[in-house]
Amino acid sequence: MTVIALNRCYPGIREKEAEIEAVVGQTDEGFEVRAALPGVDKEKITLFVDSGRLVIKALRESSFAQGREIRRELAQGEMKKEYYLPESVDVDNVSARFENGILSVRLPLRQQSGPRAVSIE
Amino acid sequence: MKPVKRSDEKRMDVARRYDPFRDFFDEFESMFEDFFRPGLVSRTEDSPALIHADIGEDDEKYMVRAALPGMDEKNIKVSVEDGVLSIQAERKEEESEEKKGYFRREIGYGRYERRFRLPDNVNLDKVDARYKNGILDIDLPKKEKGMSKKEIKVKGA
């Protein structure tokens, strides 16, 4: 089965935002993006789909609401991941689920209709 | 998770400057460096991937917040032995996910590990761990002052 690294095609991620770690795989119905967002509140995740683009943005707060941080290894603040979508993705039917720190975005493909006869008026 | 982005390096240095874990921690870590590889994608099947974590403290406790996205808490093991806190996790194959085998491989199917050498003042009897939203929270209460002090009576011959 193929894993398509769409992320490698996109160089335009701004330096100041941490890049969200994610993978893209192919499913029966299309593509699925799985993004690792451990410790992020669901309310702090935004997902945009517009013409040919999928944008995942998230805000991760400090791990420590109280006390002081003595070592940091996890990304904090604004995080982002952006993909160009193939035209075949059915953007009206994109759905997403957030569970155990993993955001799964399902990107079904449009139903392939064969050549269609067009009536001439 | 990637531990540090280039833009975070400065902040990281600041955070490290007053790190009481550092001496223990880094010495121990370097022993394992050859076995653990950071990064979820490029590692081989056999070697466990490195778990990344934030560490904090307040007056009562040390806090470890380890990133383990998409785990089942049943497959996470936390133990303390000889002053070393060890976290081990495994993402197991599940039948319902069979169709998504390629994801498991890519986002990190397999084993994860991390060890931290603990400061002496941790009360090991009260270590507490919870898994929620992809993060393993471990609280390590500090011993109350005087608890680690014990007077030894000197006996005569």
Side-chain angles (χ1 to χ4, degrees):
Chain A
M1 240 169 289
T2 346
V3 172
I4 301 158
L6 289 175
N7 48 326
R8 286 197 203 116
C9 309
Y10 189 78
I13 291 146
R14 278 189 290 156
E15 275 288 310
K16 61 170 192 162
E17 287 161 327
E19 190 176 346
I20 296 168
E21 186 172 347
V23 293
V24 183
Q26 216 162 4
T27 64
D28 295 339
E29 52 163 19
F31 301 107
E32 190 170 324
V33 173
R34 303 193 85 193
L37 293 168
V40 175
D41 293 331
K42 191 177 146 197
E43 293 71 33
K44 304 282 181 182
I45 303 172
T46 43
L47 198 61
F48 304 99
V49 190
D50 61 18
S51 55
R53 269 191 340 154
L54 171 73
V55 183
I56 305 168
K57 278 188 172 186
L59 180 70
R60 190 170 181 281
E61 314 274 1
S62 162
S63 287
F64 310 105
Q66 57 209 20
R68 69 189 181 92
E69 179 180 79
I70 50 183
R71 191 183 181 96
R72 186 195 299 171
E73 296 178 347
L74 310 185
Q76 227 174 75
E78 296 278 345
M79 306 197 291
K80 191 180 178 182
K81 188 86 182 185
E82 193 162 348
Y83 294 101
Y84 283 130
L85 298 178
E87 267 178 43
S88 52
V89 168
D90 183 358
V91 289
D92 297 327
N93 284 306
V94 172
S95 62
R97 190 162 57 93
F98 187 55
E99 199 179 12
N100 273 351
I102 299 263
L103 177 73
S104 308
V105 186
R106 294 168 65 187
L107 302 154
L109 298 183
R110 281 202 190 84
Q111 293 289 66
Q112 291 287 5
S113 47
R116 187 165 58 93
V118 178
S119 59
I120 298 161
E121 285 172 34
Chain B
M1 294 254 78
K2 284 177 191 133
V4 204
K5 290 289 291 180
R6 194 162 292 168
S7 54
D8 284 337
E9 268 169 20
K10 248 182 210 155
R11 280 190 291 170
M12 189 81 183
D13 283 346
V14 173
R16 278 188 172 192
R17 218 175 287 148
Y18 47 89
D19 184 348
F21 276 68
R22 186 168 164 76
D23 292 338
F24 314 93
F25 193 65
D26 288 352
E27 164 213 341
F28 200 81
E29 200 170 59
S30 60
M31 281 167 55
F32 283 83
E33 219 151 35
D34 292 337
F35 304 104
F36 291 137
R37 289 172 212 191
L40 299 179
V41 179
S42 60
R43 74 206 167 77
T44 59
E45 285 284 312
D46 303 335
S47 63
L50 188 72
I51 296 168
H52 291 114
D54 290 341
I55 298 170
E57 72 170 323
D58 60 19
D59 292 344
E60 283 99 48
K61 59 187 182 296
Y62 296 104
M63 299 166 277
V64 174
R65 303 287 179 258
L68 286 167
M71 288 281 173
D72 187 331
E73 75 235 24
K74 290 198 296 280
N75 298 327
I76 302 174
K77 261 193 226 159
V78 179
S79 60
V80 181
E81 201 182 335
D82 298 331
V84 175
L85 171 73
S86 161
I87 307 168
Q88 290 169 305
E90 194 172 0
R91 216 186 299 267
K92 288 192 173 151
E93 220 159 333
E94 275 170 41
E95 227 164 275
S96 59
E97 278 203 71
E98 209 154 86
K99 275 161 75 180
K100 295 178 180 174
Y102 45 93
F103 280 131
R104 273 201 317 266
R105 217 165 44 235
E106 289 305 305
I107 214 164
Y109 161 63
R111 289 182 299 130
Y112 296 82
E113 276 189 34
R114 186 71 185 257
R115 284 157 212 231
F116 298 111
R117 192 173 287 282
L118 297 175
D120 291 337
N121 63 337
V122 171
N123 184 352
L124 298 181
D125 297 332
K126 291 191 172 163
V127 176
D128 180 56
R130 292 171 306 275
Y131 180 67
K132 197 191 161 199
N133 197 20
I135 295 276
L136 177 68
D137 283 8
I138 305 174
D139 285 348
L140 304 139
K142 295 177 183 175
K143 284 176 186 162
E144 282 166 44
K145 282 213 174 90
M147 251 177 86
S148 53
K149 192 177 159 189
K150 196 187 174 190
E151 255 175 63
I152 314 292
K153 201 179 169 190
V154 179
K155 286 178 234 159

